[in-house]
Amino acid sequence: QVHGIVRRSSSFNTGRIEHLYKNPQAHIEGNMKLHYGDLTDSTCLVKIINEVKPSEIYNLGAQSHVKISFDLAEYTADVDGVGTLRLLDAIKTCGLINSVKFYQASTSELFGKVQEIPQKETTPFYPRSPYGAAKLYAYWIVVNFREAYNLFAVNGILFNHESPRRGANFVTRKISRSVAKIHLGQLDCFSLGNLDAKRDWGHARDYVEAMWLMLQTDEPEDFVIATGEVHSVREFVEKSFKHIGKTIVWEGKNENEVGRCKETGKIHVTVNHKYYRPTEVDFLQGDSSKARQKLNWKPRVTFDELVREMVDADVELMRNNPNA
């Protein structure tokens, strides 16, 4: 049985979990029950945790967009940093320290300006955004509750994990959506920021399995979850277009660089400085040896399969609803 917290909004914001309803048309709940709540409201967190008395809590709630965290710095700190503390405090207030297992969605953004390659559990942190800094507080407050109160609490330091459910303004989904629209003739061109940022991209399906495995162990420990493979934003663009039968050729430099279709000569990709971050994270590559050894976990979905799945899903989506 799964309980979730949903923020109140004037429009339905359950699009990505519709299929989990017993009756999606009528929003009738089955094994998934939703409660109105917010990570900025400690009263409601105590109320929900006290009512549900969960055996496992997965804190995946965050303002999770790195670029936007520069614009919403205080809000990001409140939700991602203090929000985690509020949840941990609620567990304590409800007297569930000895019965609940707590998972904190930590992040590779903690490594930011990387101090070693690849990054593992012992790599020093150097966050490069208000998001990274807020998540750093959350990481250490989880460690503190684990050591101070003997709470079963773990940090999953997950590298970028993607899927067709990724938010529309994240770079991978922006690419797959735009490529789908270009394929269907609904769009000619789209803009990106730093094409040379390199990331260790995996599939959310694999990574969620790793989250669950962390809470099934005897002792609470923090784990890095990553594929160990690195690809650039540029490569993600090329592979996405390749899947719809287009070859992208790059021309120009820096902000004047464009991606042109070799077959038609049309420009499909441009660079816009507004999508750059004030402080950039250039390179992330994870070493998940500890998880492979102790959790017997390994990623199953390859980078190519991930790109194909995202593009296919968005082609289907845009075909049915061009304004999605």
Side-chain angles (χ1 to χ4, degrees):
Q1 210 180 58
V2 176
H3 290 259
I5 293 180
V6 62
R7 277 169 297 155
R8 193 268 157 192
S9 164
S10 52
S11 53
F12 276 125
N13 53 1
T14 51
R16 287 184 283 180
I17 53 171
E18 297 287 323
H19 60 291
L20 296 174
Y21 283 106
K22 190 176 178 181
N23 180 341
Q25 284 73 36
H27 280 197
I28 290 169
E29 298 166 337
N31 287 338
M32 174 190 74
K33 292 185 169 40
L34 297 178
H35 306 257
Y36 281 112
D38 200 294
L39 283 166
T40 61
D41 180 349
S42 51
T43 312
C44 77
L45 297 177
V46 169
K47 218 155 46 179
I48 294 164
I49 289 171
N50 193 47
E51 181 192 333
V52 173
K53 296 202 169 37
S55 51
E56 296 179 348
I57 293 177
Y58 294 84
N59 179 27
L60 315 184
Q63 190 300 100
S64 62
H65 199 287
V66 178
K67 171 77 170 74
I68 293 169
S69 78
F70 286 94
D71 303 319
L72 298 178
E74 183 188 330
Y75 175 75
T76 302
D78 194 15
V79 174
D80 303 14
V82 186
T84 305
L85 171 65
R86 290 187 187 103
L87 263 178
L88 293 165
D89 253 341
I91 292 170
K92 195 161 153 267
T93 301
C94 296
L96 298 176
I97 287 279
N98 298 321
S99 61
V100 90
K101 290 186 169 188
F102 183 85
Y103 173 85
Q104 168 62 13
S106 208
T107 170
S108 57
E109 288 287 330
L110 294 181
F111 299 121
K113 192 175 177 181
V114 301
Q115 303 298 293
E116 67 175 345
I117 294 171
Q119 296 88 55
K120 50 185 187 284
E121 291 80 7
T122 52
T123 302
F125 298 133
Y126 195 142
R128 293 267 283 174
S129 64
Y131 169 77
K135 283 286 194 175
L136 186 63
Y137 175 86
Y139 173 92
W140 284 116
I141 203 67
V142 167
V143 172
N144 185 242
F145 267 67
R146 180 167 72 215
E147 294 174 355
Y149 306 113
N150 219 13
L151 171 68
F152 191 113
V154 303
N155 287 290
I157 305 172
L158 271 55
F159 279 64
N160 297 53
H161 41 292
E162 314 297 321
S163 85
R165 293 196 195 126
R166 184 53 128 162
N169 58 0
F170 285 82
V171 68
T172 50
R173 187 77 197 288
K174 186 178 180 179
I175 294 166
S176 64
R177 284 167 60 89
S178 303
V179 167
K181 289 191 170 199
I182 287 167
H183 179 59
L184 297 169
Q186 299 166 359
L187 184 74
D188 284 330
C189 186
F190 65 100
S191 297
L192 294 170
N194 182 5
L195 294 170
D196 295 311
K198 293 183 172 67
R199 292 293 183 269
D200 183 329
W201 277 301
H203 197 296
R205 194 164 48 227
D206 287 337
Y207 286 44
V208 170
E209 183 194 13
M211 294 178 193
W212 180 80
L213 285 169
M214 281 179 225
L215 293 197
Q216 312 315 311
T217 57
D218 295 330
E219 292 296 319
E221 285 185 82
D222 304 328
F223 289 92
V224 161
I225 302 298
T227 69
E229 258 184 56
V230 177
H231 302 273
S232 63
V233 171
R234 189 186 294 280
E235 204 180 328
F236 203 105
V237 171
E238 291 165 358
K239 283 222 163 38
S240 300
F241 274 107
K242 198 80 185 157
H243 188 51
I244 61 159
K246 286 180 181 283
T247 312
I248 289 293
V249 181
W250 302 100
E251 299 169 2
K253 274 203 161 35
N254 303 327
E255 284 174 55
N256 298 319
E257 188 169 8
V258 296
R260 193 186 291 278
C261 175
K262 188 178 166 186
E263 290 77 16
T264 64
K266 277 187 185 171
I267 291 176
H268 289 316
V269 187
T270 59
V271 172
N272 189 328
H273 204 263
K274 81 169 187 178
Y275 297 121
Y276 277 71
R277 303 172 183 177
T279 36
E280 182 56 78
V281 173
D282 298 310
F283 186 95
L284 291 174
Q285 180 181 21
D287 175 359
S288 57
S289 311
K290 182 180 169 185
R292 288 166 197 252
Q293 185 200 334
K294 290 197 168 183
L295 302 176
N296 202 16
W297 175 87
K298 65 172 191 292
R300 295 191 183 93
V301 184
T302 66
F303 179 69
D304 286 16
E305 286 169 337
L306 169 67
V307 173
R308 285 201 300 270
E309 186 186 325
M310 288 183 71
V311 172
D312 285 343
D314 275 330
V315 167
E316 190 61 27
L317 175 68
M318 299 311 167
R319 191 175 273 134
N320 297 328
N321 179 8
N323 296 324

